[in-house]
Amino acid sequence: MERLILDCDTGQDDAIAILMAHGAKNLAVEGIVAVAGNTTLENALENTLKLTEDIDFNVPVYTGSRGPLIRKQIVASAIHGESGYDGPVFTKKRIKKSCGNGIDFIINTIMQNPGEINLVATGPLTDIAIAIKKEPKIITSVKRLIIMGGSLSKGNVTPSAEFNIYADPEAAKIVFNCGIEIYMMGLDVTKQTIVSKDFMQKCIVKQKEKPSRSRQVFIDGMNFYIASCMKAIREAPSMHDPCCIAFLINPSLFSFEKHLIDVETKGELTYGETVDLGINENSNIHVGIKVDTKQFFELLFQSLQ
Ligand code: RIB
Ligand code: CA
């Protein structure tokens, strides 16, 4: 059983990561922390509370950071919509509330369970950087940090930067330089999980045969996400954040290389780039290089049952 904390800025693909974690028999989610990222903190928290309540996922939700450490906040409403998670309709009145401070929750959970907790970050790294600064012992007490962020090649928000890193480069620099064991799911690997029309059709057919609330939420979110990505970036969306959860469910789907990576925080054109300083077997940064795409989508399909 893999125990984990998910720190996320709940938009469409963060939500799919939550659906996958909920459906996985070998994962135990200790808590979810909502952080400002592709939307405001209020929206990210609201989306997380509503989603987990709607799918009967009995997991505590905590409040993370309101915005990046230094830079001005950016959001991605062209991709995720005004609410940060447009698409699914949650009709139930929300009862669930935040359980409190997410950074203290991260620190306390890791320190009380040394070597046991996987920390998964699918938004900007603000909370993780603050937690590291507040209690540096988490660097050696966490089992591993799995992040969706960065790229060895091109970016997706600027020519050189990926969104989650660009949204808080100063936080990312702290995290990448602190020595923590990082599994980096960057665009190099996540772009191998572009959703196909056939996969969506398979989900729609299955939903008619054997309805599940998780699958319906997935389909409704994807309808919005596909349309917004086609409009904004002229391609179907990748399952960026779900790659982190798929790795925890079945690590053998992914292959990695150890690289030295630093984060650019000064460059006018390269702000937020994860700069590849080369392969180095002594590095603590495992960069996702390849995923078995067929098996990844099989796992996603199974998780939605
Ligand atoms: O670049 C992809 C990342 O930014 C994902 O975490 C996704 O949720 C988006 O906002
Ligand atoms: Ca995200």
Side-chain angles (χ1 to χ4, degrees), residues 9 11-14 37-38 76 79-80 122-123 148 156 162-164 187 190 225 240-241:
D9 54 342
Q12 278 80 7
D13 61 328
D14 303 79
N38 59 56
I79 300 285
H80 298 277
T122 62
M148 191 286 129
N156 62 355
E162 180 280 326
F163 181 86
N164 287 339
L187 299 176
T190 66
Y225 197 30
H240 299 291
D241 298 340

PDB file of all heavy atoms in Angstrom, residues 9 11-14 37-38 76 79-80 122-123 148 156 162-164 187 190 225 240-241, ligand 1:
ATOM      1  N   ASP A   9      -4.053  21.976  -7.530  1.00  0.00           N
ATOM      2  CA  ASP A   9      -4.807  23.206  -7.829  1.00  0.00           C
ATOM      3  C   ASP A   9      -6.026  22.790  -8.658  1.00  0.00           C
ATOM      4  O   ASP A   9      -6.115  23.119  -9.843  1.00  0.00           O
ATOM      5  CB  ASP A   9      -3.923  24.216  -8.572  1.00  0.00           C
ATOM      6  CG  ASP A   9      -3.268  23.659  -9.831  1.00  0.00           C
ATOM      7  OD1 ASP A   9      -3.193  22.433  -9.986  1.00  0.00           O
ATOM      8  OD2 ASP A   9      -2.846  24.455 -10.690  1.00  0.00           O
ATOM      9  N   GLY A  11      -8.073  21.556 -11.121  1.00  0.00           N
ATOM     10  CA  GLY A  11      -8.651  21.802 -12.432  1.00  0.00           C
ATOM     11  C   GLY A  11      -8.962  20.429 -13.019  1.00  0.00           C
ATOM     12  O   GLY A  11      -8.927  19.412 -12.297  1.00  0.00           O
ATOM     13  N   GLN A  12      -9.203  20.369 -14.329  1.00  0.00           N
ATOM     14  CA  GLN A  12      -9.682  19.105 -14.920  1.00  0.00           C
ATOM     15  C   GLN A  12      -8.733  17.921 -14.726  1.00  0.00           C
ATOM     16  O   GLN A  12      -9.178  16.829 -14.368  1.00  0.00           O
ATOM     17  CB  GLN A  12      -9.965  19.280 -16.421  1.00  0.00           C
ATOM     18  CG  GLN A  12     -11.304  19.894 -16.727  1.00  0.00           C
ATOM     19  CD  GLN A  12     -11.286  21.403 -16.568  1.00  0.00           C
ATOM     20  OE1 GLN A  12     -10.230  21.983 -16.346  1.00  0.00           O
ATOM     21  NE2 GLN A  12     -12.444  22.031 -16.677  1.00  0.00           N
ATOM     22  N   ASP A  13      -7.424  18.108 -14.972  1.00  0.00           N
ATOM     23  CA  ASP A  13      -6.552  16.922 -14.875  1.00  0.00           C
ATOM     24  C   ASP A  13      -6.158  16.612 -13.435  1.00  0.00           C
ATOM     25  O   ASP A  13      -5.961  15.431 -13.088  1.00  0.00           O
ATOM     26  CB  ASP A  13      -5.342  16.999 -15.814  1.00  0.00           C
ATOM     27  CG  ASP A  13      -4.427  18.170 -15.527  1.00  0.00           C
ATOM     28  OD1 ASP A  13      -4.914  19.220 -15.092  1.00  0.00           O
ATOM     29  OD2 ASP A  13      -3.211  18.020 -15.759  1.00  0.00           O
ATOM     30  N   ASP A  14      -6.115  17.630 -12.562  1.00  0.00           N
ATOM     31  CA  ASP A  14      -5.938  17.341 -11.121  1.00  0.00           C
ATOM     32  C   ASP A  14      -7.128  16.498 -10.648  1.00  0.00           C
ATOM     33  O   ASP A  14      -6.966  15.550  -9.863  1.00  0.00           O
ATOM     34  CB  ASP A  14      -5.935  18.635 -10.296  1.00  0.00           C
ATOM     35  CG  ASP A  14      -4.876  19.623 -10.744  1.00  0.00           C
ATOM     36  OD1 ASP A  14      -5.122  20.309 -11.767  1.00  0.00           O
ATOM     37  OD2 ASP A  14      -3.832  19.717 -10.104  1.00  0.00           O
ATOM     38  N   GLY A  37      -3.193  28.000  -8.178  1.00  0.00           N
ATOM     39  CA  GLY A  37      -2.369  27.625  -9.327  1.00  0.00           C
ATOM     40  C   GLY A  37      -3.081  28.006 -10.596  1.00  0.00           C
ATOM     41  O   GLY A  37      -3.184  29.189 -10.900  1.00  0.00           O
ATOM     42  N   ASN A  38      -3.671  26.984 -11.262  1.00  0.00           N
ATOM     43  CA  ASN A  38      -4.376  27.353 -12.489  1.00  0.00           C
ATOM     44  C   ASN A  38      -5.662  28.128 -12.195  1.00  0.00           C
ATOM     45  O   ASN A  38      -6.308  28.641 -13.108  1.00  0.00           O
ATOM     46  CB  ASN A  38      -4.611  26.147 -13.392  1.00  0.00           C
ATOM     47  CG  ASN A  38      -5.411  25.063 -12.735  1.00  0.00           C
ATOM     48  OD1 ASN A  38      -6.505  25.328 -12.282  1.00  0.00           O
ATOM     49  ND2 ASN A  38      -4.878  23.861 -12.686  1.00  0.00           N
ATOM     50  N   ALA A  76      -5.012  29.924 -15.352  1.00  0.00           N
ATOM     51  CA  ALA A  76      -5.145  29.337 -16.698  1.00  0.00           C
ATOM     52  C   ALA A  76      -6.616  29.116 -17.023  1.00  0.00           C
ATOM     53  O   ALA A  76      -7.036  27.990 -17.336  1.00  0.00           O
ATOM     54  CB  ALA A  76      -4.348  28.026 -16.765  1.00  0.00           C
ATOM     55  N   ILE A  79      -7.854  27.368 -20.248  1.00  0.00           N
ATOM     56  CA  ILE A  79      -7.796  25.895 -20.308  1.00  0.00           C
ATOM     57  C   ILE A  79      -8.816  25.275 -19.347  1.00  0.00           C
ATOM     58  O   ILE A  79      -9.516  24.315 -19.704  1.00  0.00           O
ATOM     59  CB  ILE A  79      -6.372  25.393 -19.918  1.00  0.00           C
ATOM     60  CG1 ILE A  79      -5.311  25.961 -20.875  1.00  0.00           C
ATOM     61  CG2 ILE A  79      -6.307  23.875 -19.833  1.00  0.00           C
ATOM     62  CD1 ILE A  79      -5.264  25.341 -22.255  1.00  0.00           C
ATOM     63  N   HIS A  80      -8.904  25.795 -18.122  1.00  0.00           N
ATOM     64  CA  HIS A  80      -9.718  25.134 -17.092  1.00  0.00           C
ATOM     65  C   HIS A  80     -11.064  25.805 -16.829  1.00  0.00           C
ATOM     66  O   HIS A  80     -11.866  25.292 -16.051  1.00  0.00           O
ATOM     67  CB  HIS A  80      -8.925  25.045 -15.784  1.00  0.00           C
ATOM     68  CG  HIS A  80      -7.661  24.233 -15.904  1.00  0.00           C
ATOM     69  ND1 HIS A  80      -7.642  22.855 -15.808  1.00  0.00           N
ATOM     70  CD2 HIS A  80      -6.382  24.602 -16.143  1.00  0.00           C
ATOM     71  CE1 HIS A  80      -6.389  22.423 -15.968  1.00  0.00           C
ATOM     72  NE2 HIS A  80      -5.615  23.458 -16.187  1.00  0.00           N
ATOM     73  N   THR A 122       0.695  18.452  -7.912  1.00  0.00           N
ATOM     74  CA  THR A 122       0.237  18.603  -9.301  1.00  0.00           C
ATOM     75  C   THR A 122      -0.169  20.055  -9.607  1.00  0.00           C
ATOM     76  O   THR A 122      -0.927  20.296 -10.540  1.00  0.00           O
ATOM     77  CB  THR A 122      -0.918  17.631  -9.613  1.00  0.00           C
ATOM     78  OG1 THR A 122      -2.019  17.950  -8.749  1.00  0.00           O
ATOM     79  CG2 THR A 122      -0.523  16.189  -9.428  1.00  0.00           C
ATOM     80  N   GLY A 123       0.315  20.963  -8.783  1.00  0.00           N
ATOM     81  CA  GLY A 123       0.137  22.393  -9.035  1.00  0.00           C
ATOM     82  C   GLY A 123       1.487  23.071  -8.833  1.00  0.00           C
ATOM     83  O   GLY A 123       2.524  22.400  -8.769  1.00  0.00           O
ATOM     84  N   MET A 148       4.149  16.919 -10.974  1.00  0.00           N
ATOM     85  CA  MET A 148       3.884  17.210 -12.374  1.00  0.00           C
ATOM     86  C   MET A 148       4.415  18.611 -12.587  1.00  0.00           C
ATOM     87  O   MET A 148       3.904  19.571 -12.017  1.00  0.00           O
ATOM     88  CB  MET A 148       2.380  17.164 -12.679  1.00  0.00           C
ATOM     89  CG  MET A 148       2.078  17.201 -14.180  1.00  0.00           C
ATOM     90  SD  MET A 148       2.309  18.814 -14.924  1.00  0.00           S
ATOM     91  CE  MET A 148       3.354  18.458 -16.305  1.00  0.00           C
ATOM     92  N   ASN A 156       5.018  24.803 -22.150  1.00  0.00           N
ATOM     93  CA  ASN A 156       3.651  24.878 -22.680  1.00  0.00           C
ATOM     94  C   ASN A 156       2.979  26.228 -22.382  1.00  0.00           C
ATOM     95  O   ASN A 156       1.911  26.511 -22.896  1.00  0.00           O
ATOM     96  CB  ASN A 156       2.772  23.719 -22.176  1.00  0.00           C
ATOM     97  CG  ASN A 156       2.604  23.705 -20.669  1.00  0.00           C
ATOM     98  OD1 ASN A 156       3.216  24.504 -19.956  1.00  0.00           O
ATOM     99  ND2 ASN A 156       1.790  22.791 -20.172  1.00  0.00           N
ATOM    100  N   GLU A 162       7.077  25.269 -18.412  1.00  0.00           N
ATOM    101  CA  GLU A 162       5.818  24.518 -18.178  1.00  0.00           C
ATOM    102  C   GLU A 162       5.011  25.289 -17.125  1.00  0.00           C
ATOM    103  O   GLU A 162       5.588  25.924 -16.229  1.00  0.00           O
ATOM    104  CB  GLU A 162       6.186  23.103 -17.706  1.00  0.00           C
ATOM    105  CG  GLU A 162       5.017  22.189 -17.427  1.00  0.00           C
ATOM    106  CD  GLU A 162       4.384  22.431 -16.064  1.00  0.00           C
ATOM    107  OE1 GLU A 162       5.127  22.783 -15.123  1.00  0.00           O
ATOM    108  OE2 GLU A 162       3.154  22.279 -15.958  1.00  0.00           O
ATOM    109  N   PHE A 163       3.680  25.185 -17.171  1.00  0.00           N
ATOM    110  CA  PHE A 163       2.808  26.024 -16.338  1.00  0.00           C
ATOM    111  C   PHE A 163       3.114  25.948 -14.830  1.00  0.00           C
ATOM    112  O   PHE A 163       3.254  26.991 -14.169  1.00  0.00           O
ATOM    113  CB  PHE A 163       1.321  25.688 -16.573  1.00  0.00           C
ATOM    114  CG  PHE A 163       0.424  26.560 -15.738  1.00  0.00           C
ATOM    115  CD1 PHE A 163       0.026  27.818 -16.181  1.00  0.00           C
ATOM    116  CD2 PHE A 163       0.008  26.161 -14.466  1.00  0.00           C
ATOM    117  CE1 PHE A 163      -0.756  28.647 -15.390  1.00  0.00           C
ATOM    118  CE2 PHE A 163      -0.778  26.979 -13.667  1.00  0.00           C
ATOM    119  CZ  PHE A 163      -1.167  28.228 -14.137  1.00  0.00           C
ATOM    120  N   ASN A 164       3.174  24.755 -14.257  1.00  0.00           N
ATOM    121  CA  ASN A 164       3.298  24.660 -12.791  1.00  0.00           C
ATOM    122  C   ASN A 164       4.591  25.279 -12.271  1.00  0.00           C
ATOM    123  O   ASN A 164       4.625  25.828 -11.161  1.00  0.00           O
ATOM    124  CB  ASN A 164       3.219  23.196 -12.320  1.00  0.00           C
ATOM    125  CG  ASN A 164       1.815  22.649 -12.409  1.00  0.00           C
ATOM    126  OD1 ASN A 164       0.848  23.416 -12.446  1.00  0.00           O
ATOM    127  ND2 ASN A 164       1.684  21.326 -12.456  1.00  0.00           N
ATOM    128  N   LEU A 187       6.650  17.548 -19.109  1.00  0.00           N
ATOM    129  CA  LEU A 187       5.927  17.434 -20.382  1.00  0.00           C
ATOM    130  C   LEU A 187       6.512  16.338 -21.269  1.00  0.00           C
ATOM    131  O   LEU A 187       5.797  15.771 -22.101  1.00  0.00           O
ATOM    132  CB  LEU A 187       5.978  18.770 -21.132  1.00  0.00           C
ATOM    133  CG  LEU A 187       5.325  19.954 -20.404  1.00  0.00           C
ATOM    134  CD1 LEU A 187       5.518  21.237 -21.208  1.00  0.00           C
ATOM    135  CD2 LEU A 187       3.842  19.703 -20.155  1.00  0.00           C
ATOM    136  N   THR A 190       4.452  13.436 -19.884  1.00  0.00           N
ATOM    137  CA  THR A 190       2.984  13.585 -19.806  1.00  0.00           C
ATOM    138  C   THR A 190       2.365  13.787 -21.190  1.00  0.00           C
ATOM    139  O   THR A 190       1.224  13.408 -21.421  1.00  0.00           O
ATOM    140  CB  THR A 190       2.559  14.736 -18.861  1.00  0.00           C
ATOM    141  OG1 THR A 190       2.975  15.993 -19.395  1.00  0.00           O
ATOM    142  CG2 THR A 190       3.117  14.557 -17.468  1.00  0.00           C
ATOM    143  N   TYR A 225     -12.602  20.125 -21.179  1.00  0.00           N
ATOM    144  CA  TYR A 225     -11.132  20.194 -21.288  1.00  0.00           C
ATOM    145  C   TYR A 225     -10.678  19.997 -22.748  1.00  0.00           C
ATOM    146  O   TYR A 225      -9.803  20.701 -23.244  1.00  0.00           O
ATOM    147  CB  TYR A 225     -10.570  19.097 -20.383  1.00  0.00           C
ATOM    148  CG  TYR A 225      -9.115  19.178 -19.997  1.00  0.00           C
ATOM    149  CD1 TYR A 225      -8.434  20.381 -19.871  1.00  0.00           C
ATOM    150  CD2 TYR A 225      -8.414  18.003 -19.708  1.00  0.00           C
ATOM    151  CE1 TYR A 225      -7.105  20.407 -19.483  1.00  0.00           C
ATOM    152  CE2 TYR A 225      -7.085  18.024 -19.313  1.00  0.00           C
ATOM    153  CZ  TYR A 225      -6.436  19.227 -19.210  1.00  0.00           C
ATOM    154  OH  TYR A 225      -5.115  19.251 -18.814  1.00  0.00           O
ATOM    155  N   HIS A 240      -1.758  15.120 -17.791  1.00  0.00           N
ATOM    156  CA  HIS A 240      -0.534  15.517 -17.063  1.00  0.00           C
ATOM    157  C   HIS A 240      -0.535  14.993 -15.622  1.00  0.00           C
ATOM    158  O   HIS A 240       0.313  14.196 -15.226  1.00  0.00           O
ATOM    159  CB  HIS A 240      -0.426  17.046 -17.009  1.00  0.00           C
ATOM    160  CG  HIS A 240      -0.333  17.721 -18.338  1.00  0.00           C
ATOM    161  ND1 HIS A 240       0.762  17.619 -19.148  1.00  0.00           N
ATOM    162  CD2 HIS A 240      -1.204  18.535 -18.994  1.00  0.00           C
ATOM    163  CE1 HIS A 240       0.587  18.344 -20.241  1.00  0.00           C
ATOM    164  NE2 HIS A 240      -0.606  18.907 -20.174  1.00  0.00           N
ATOM    165  N   ASP A 241      -1.477  15.510 -14.812  1.00  0.00           N
ATOM    166  CA  ASP A 241      -1.445  15.213 -13.374  1.00  0.00           C
ATOM    167  C   ASP A 241      -1.709  13.728 -13.060  1.00  0.00           C
ATOM    168  O   ASP A 241      -1.080  13.177 -12.140  1.00  0.00           O
ATOM    169  CB  ASP A 241      -2.443  16.122 -12.631  1.00  0.00           C
ATOM    170  CG  ASP A 241      -2.074  17.597 -12.771  1.00  0.00           C
ATOM    171  OD1 ASP A 241      -0.900  17.887 -13.095  1.00  0.00           O
ATOM    172  OD2 ASP A 241      -2.946  18.450 -12.580  1.00  0.00           O
TER     173      ASP A 241
HETATM  174  O1  RIB B   1       1.298  22.035 -17.454  1.00  0.00           O
HETATM  175  C1  RIB B   1       0.330  21.164 -16.991  1.00  0.00           C
HETATM  176  C2  RIB B   1      -0.113  21.544 -15.601  1.00  0.00           C
HETATM  177  O2  RIB B   1      -0.748  22.804 -15.614  1.00  0.00           O
HETATM  178  C3  RIB B   1      -1.106  20.588 -14.977  1.00  0.00           C
HETATM  179  O3  RIB B   1      -0.854  20.449 -13.597  1.00  0.00           O
HETATM  180  C4  RIB B   1      -2.446  21.198 -15.271  1.00  0.00           C
HETATM  181  O4  RIB B   1      -3.366  20.981 -14.222  1.00  0.00           O
HETATM  182  C5  RIB B   1      -2.141  22.627 -15.673  1.00  0.00           C
HETATM  183  O5  RIB B   1      -2.817  23.644 -15.073  1.00  0.00           O
END
